[in-house]
Amino acid sequence: MKFLALVIPLLFIALFLFALVKKVKLYDCFTEGVKEAVPLVLSLFPYLAAVLMLSELFSRSGFSDMLTSFLSPAFRALGIPAEISPLVLMKPFSGSGSTALLSDILANHGADSYIGRCACVCYGSSETVFYISAVYFANVKQKKLLKPVLIALFANCLTVVFGCLLCRVM
């Protein structure tokens, strides 16, 4: 395990040595990269702020709870336990919010329970679709987001269904 702690420092040392051998001005290259990153960060900020505000509104407005109770029968029919439906709905919006929900589920049901295993598999196999979409499509001129977002949400749904099925079988 102590060797694994040295991997990142060794990579940096190897990079510095490689740059030294190739006579690359490492600091100048670094500052050029930072200059290019600033406009990217500025273009991403409005999209990320919108996603963060919408995810907070989604949870605090009570819409998340209403949607959870409305979709619980459909989730149950697909083999998704009702206890993890808030996690399934929150994950596409917020990684930190879904982490908190996962912690609550594990505290209430245990990590070795069927519900705990399903929650862990669903958390690990799905993605924060709206956050990733904001990052990927921030610099795209044509903003045709509907198809990619719907495909990503459908893929998330499939991973949750198959993940719960695997947890039931195993």
Side-chain angles (χ1 to χ4, degrees):
M1 286 305 258
K2 291 184 180 184
F3 173 74
L4 291 178
L6 296 175
V7 169
I8 300 291
L10 289 175
L11 283 174
F12 274 108
I13 291 170
L15 175 71
F16 287 133
L17 291 175
F18 182 75
L20 185 65
V21 169
K22 292 290 187 176
K23 297 181 181 172
V24 173
K25 295 180 180 177
L26 201 57
Y27 185 75
D28 293 340
C29 291
F30 175 76
T31 55
E32 286 299 316
V34 170
K35 285 180 190 175
E36 293 174 13
V38 171
L40 176 66
V41 169
L42 291 176
S43 69
L44 282 177
F45 181 74
Y47 298 100
L48 295 178
V51 167
L52 292 174
M53 285 188 285
L54 288 174
S55 66
E56 190 66 25
L57 282 172
F58 181 69
S59 61
R60 293 208 180 199
S61 68
F63 185 65
S64 173
D65 297 332
M66 289 185 335
L67 195 59
T68 299
S69 63
F70 178 74
L71 291 176
S72 286
F75 284 162
R76 200 172 300 113
L78 291 171
I80 302 169
E83 293 84 359
I84 70 166
S85 55
L87 173 67
V88 173
L89 291 175
M90 181 58 75
K91 182 66 176 186
F93 290 99
S94 170
S96 59
S98 57
T99 302
L101 289 173
L102 177 65
S103 296
D104 288 343
I105 291 169
L106 294 178
N108 292 334
H109 299 282
D112 291 336
S113 67
Y114 170 68
I115 292 169
R117 288 192 319 267
C118 280
C120 289
V121 169
C122 293
Y123 178 83
S125 65
S126 58
E127 187 56 69
T128 53
V129 172
F130 295 103
Y131 176 81
I132 297 298
S133 298
V135 171
Y136 284 167
F137 293 107
N139 286 333
V140 176
K141 302 254 186 274
Q142 294 181 345
K143 304 285 186 199
K144 295 182 180 179
L145 296 174
L146 185 61
K147 279 185 187 177
V149 169
L150 288 177
I151 290 169
L153 289 173
F154 181 70
N156 268 2
C157 183
L158 284 179
T159 61
V160 169
V161 170
F162 286 123
C164 289
L165 176 67
L166 287 174
C167 286
R168 184 170 300 220
V169 172
M170 298 180 111

